[in-house]
Amino acid sequence: MSDRSEKGVTTVKQNVCVIPDLTIKDLLSAIPAHCFKRSAWRSSLYIVYDLAVISGIYKSATYLDTLISPEYISLPHPLLYPAARFSLWAGYTFWTGLFATGLWVIAHECGHQAFSESKLINNSVGWVLHSALGVPYHSWRITHAKHHASTGHMTQDQVFVPKTRSQLGLPAFDPTKEDILGSSVSDEVMKELKEALGDSPIGATIGAATYLLGGWPAYLIRNASGQKRYPKGTNHFNPDAVMFAPHQRESIVLSDIGIVLWLAGITGSIYTFGFWTVFRLYLVPYLWVNHWLVLITFLQHTDPLLPHYRASEFTFPRGALATLDRNLLGGGGSIMGWIGAHATNGISETHVLHHVSSKIPHYNAWEASDALHKRLEQAGLKLQGAPGGWGEVYRVFKECKFVEDEGNILFYKNASGLAATRPAFTDDSASDSGIEVDKI
């Protein structure tokens, strides 16, 4: 997105997003049939592998810790010994958290019934893994399924729902001073919006960091960044919450029991081994898992390039394709990109495919994703975002501030009221979008 300013008005050259007119049959038929096969045995091997890697990280850190002493190594200052020990265990928490995110992904696949052909096995394994990571399995499974059914839908999607101009209390849209599609904004309106949003590098940094550290529990506990039409106090632990049906009550209670057992396990471990031991070995890696979860999913569903839909323009295929694949840690080079994808079982790299068919297990997702992307490119769609990392979170956090109250196909605008993208339709895709759009 490039811009120019003249006579008190800033105008940008926008990217064009092709609004797809594909059917789910179009998408699924592009995927080889064997990619849909699920194997409890093969899926279980990934659990064993992730646990073995985490155990190896722990054993390595414990062994190296014994060597950080004057008896084994000579450092020029006594304070360097605790500094080296801190660095060692910081590395342990990082790598453990990254591979534990891989376990989280497998539990998430259980919720999609992608772990095996058996519903009982899926839900049993998913409940154990997710409970061990502080996740109410069934509660989140239910709302996550709704997210998949309505991805990008302004009133039905469950999470990462954009806030509108009026919800943020911003100055009302003025058609004489700004374009509804965000291609031009007067300097006067731009100043008002920036002042109202408090846009600044420090603010964006703090906001992004807070989001990464506390976004996941905030969503579970108080519906932060969730569906705006839900009443205040909505959470994933209340069996009577609006997002659950009466027949799902027992499942929600079972999820809550898992969380109670998880908390009891943490409390008992602290009593037995001491707080700092549990903090170092489990709680910090747990925070890393939460961090990766929010970073990955935020970047999958939030970008100036991605459309959001109101009811008249929403279809399941459009929602499924309103997301991006990103190479996690790819900004750190090819080796880090491979490690990030490997440790987290490709959840960031094959996410578009996952929305098209969530029952495909991750070990088949790579091949299926390649085949799907070839079909999408034929339709003019390239759903590959920049590599996932902190820098990208910061950029997206700054560029995605609000959407308009008007229109049925919406793109994020930044703090200046400018949008990087506008919608376009193919000639054979008629639309009543509520706004003027391009035809290609």
Side-chain angles (χ1 to χ4, degrees):
M1 180 177 71
S2 59
D3 63 272
R4 67 181 189 276
S5 181
E6 55 184 43
K7 296 182 180 179
V9 176
T10 297
T11 302
V12 296
K13 183 178 180 181
Q14 296 174 303
N15 301 305
V16 174
C17 173
V18 177
I19 303 302
D21 194 32
L22 298 167
T23 66
I24 191 63
K25 183 179 179 180
D26 291 331
L27 302 175
L28 294 178
S29 63
I31 302 169
H34 63 267
C35 292
F36 295 92
K37 293 182 180 179
R38 300 163 289 174
S39 166
W41 169 249
R42 188 173 179 183
S43 296
S44 298
L45 291 178
Y46 283 91
I47 297 177
V48 173
Y49 173 76
D50 286 339
L51 290 174
V53 171
I54 291 171
S55 177
I57 295 169
Y58 167 73
K59 290 291 186 180
S60 298
T62 303
Y63 173 72
L64 292 174
D65 184 72
T66 62
L67 301 181
I68 303 175
S69 70
E71 182 181 354
Y72 294 101
I73 186 172
S74 177
L75 296 176
H77 194 281
L79 291 179
L80 291 178
Y81 290 99
R85 190 168 286 110
F86 175 84
S87 298
L88 170 67
W89 287 103
Y92 159 85
T93 63
F94 175 86
W95 293 111
T96 297
L98 192 64
F99 278 89
T101 303
L103 288 172
W104 198 104
V105 171
I106 294 173
H108 151 260
E109 288 192 349
C110 290
H112 284 293
Q113 306 303 305
F115 185 85
S116 78
E117 301 285 344
S118 166
K119 185 176 181 180
L120 176 62
I121 291 176
N122 287 328
N123 287 338
S124 298
V125 174
W127 182 84
V128 171
L129 289 179
H130 260 168
S131 296
L133 292 168
V135 180
Y137 171 71
H138 288 291
S139 308
W140 186 75
R141 173 184 65 80
I142 291 166
T143 60
H144 188 61
K146 291 183 177 183
H147 159 65
H148 269 259
S150 303
T151 307
H153 195 300
M154 286 294 292
T155 56
Q156 296 299 324
D157 201 354
Q158 300 297 299
V159 69
F160 302 118
V161 181
K163 290 184 179 180
T164 65
R165 181 187 287 257
S166 61
Q167 286 171 339
L168 288 173
L170 300 176
F173 174 74
D174 185 346
T176 66
K177 298 179 180 180
E178 51 185 324
D179 170 35
I180 191 70
L181 294 179
S183 64
S184 63
V185 180
S186 72
D187 292 349
E188 177 187 348
V189 170
M190 190 181 295
K191 182 180 178 182
E192 290 177 347
L193 290 173
K194 285 186 175 180
E195 289 178 350
L197 290 166
D199 183 51
S200 71
I202 294 177
T205 300
I206 294 174
T210 302
Y211 199 62
L212 290 175
L213 291 174
W216 173 239
Y219 170 62
L220 294 177
I221 295 170
R222 58 182 184 86
N223 193 43
S225 81
Q227 180 51 245
K228 306 299 183 290
R229 64 183 174 83
Y230 287 163
K232 187 176 181 180
T234 296
N235 67 76
H236 278 72
F237 304 99
N238 179 7
D240 298 317
V242 66
M243 61 264 213
F244 305 130
H247 72 275
Q248 295 168 334
R249 167 177 280 273
E250 291 183 1
S251 295
I252 310 308
V253 172
L254 181 60
S255 299
D256 290 348
I257 291 173
I259 296 303
V260 170
L261 292 175
W262 172 67
L263 292 172
I266 292 175
T267 302
S269 297
I270 291 174
Y271 179 79
T272 303
F273 303 107
F275 174 78
W276 287 111
T277 297
V278 176
F279 180 76
R280 181 185 72 222
L281 297 184
Y282 178 84
L283 292 179
V284 178
Y286 162 75
L287 292 177
W288 271 115
V289 172
N290 289 355
H291 154 275
W292 290 122
L293 169 63
V294 174
L295 184 148
I296 291 168
T297 54
F298 172 71
L299 291 178
Q300 287 165 344
H301 297 286
T302 313
D303 194 278
L305 299 175
L306 292 175
H308 287 80
Y309 300 97
R310 291 199 167 95
S312 64
E313 286 294 335
F314 179 84
T315 65
F316 175 80
R318 285 182 177 177
L321 301 178
T323 182
L324 294 172
D325 288 341
R326 298 179 185 269
N327 182 205
L328 182 65
L329 302 183
S334 59
I335 294 178
M336 286 300 294
W338 180 84
I339 292 174
H342 174 74
T344 59
N345 292 316
I347 188 61
S348 184
E349 290 76 10
T350 63
H351 192 70
V352 175
L353 177 279
H354 176 65
H355 269 268
V356 169
S357 180
S358 58
K359 284 188 177 181
I360 294 178
H362 69 271
Y363 42 82
N364 291 335
W366 300 96
E367 180 185 355
S369 183
D370 288 342
L372 176 64
H373 277 290
K374 290 178 182 177
R375 176 66 184 91
L376 295 179
E377 288 176 6
Q378 293 174 1
L381 295 169
K382 188 174 182 180
L383 302 177
Q384 182 67 48
W390 294 333
E392 185 66 0
V393 171
Y394 173 80
R395 181 191 71 83
V396 172
F397 202 86
K398 276 186 66 66
E399 290 299 312
C400 297
K401 293 298 186 183
F402 70 97
V403 297
E404 292 293 348
D405 295 286
E406 302 175 42
N408 294 322
I409 299 177
L410 308 167
F411 289 87
Y412 267 112
K413 291 184 175 181
N414 61 22
S416 298
L418 295 167
T421 311
R422 65 187 293 121
F425 288 84
T426 55
D427 290 335
D428 59 348
S429 179
S431 170
D432 178 21
S433 64
I435 54 177
E436 181 182 352
V437 296
D438 298 329
K439 293 288 185 73
I440 59 174

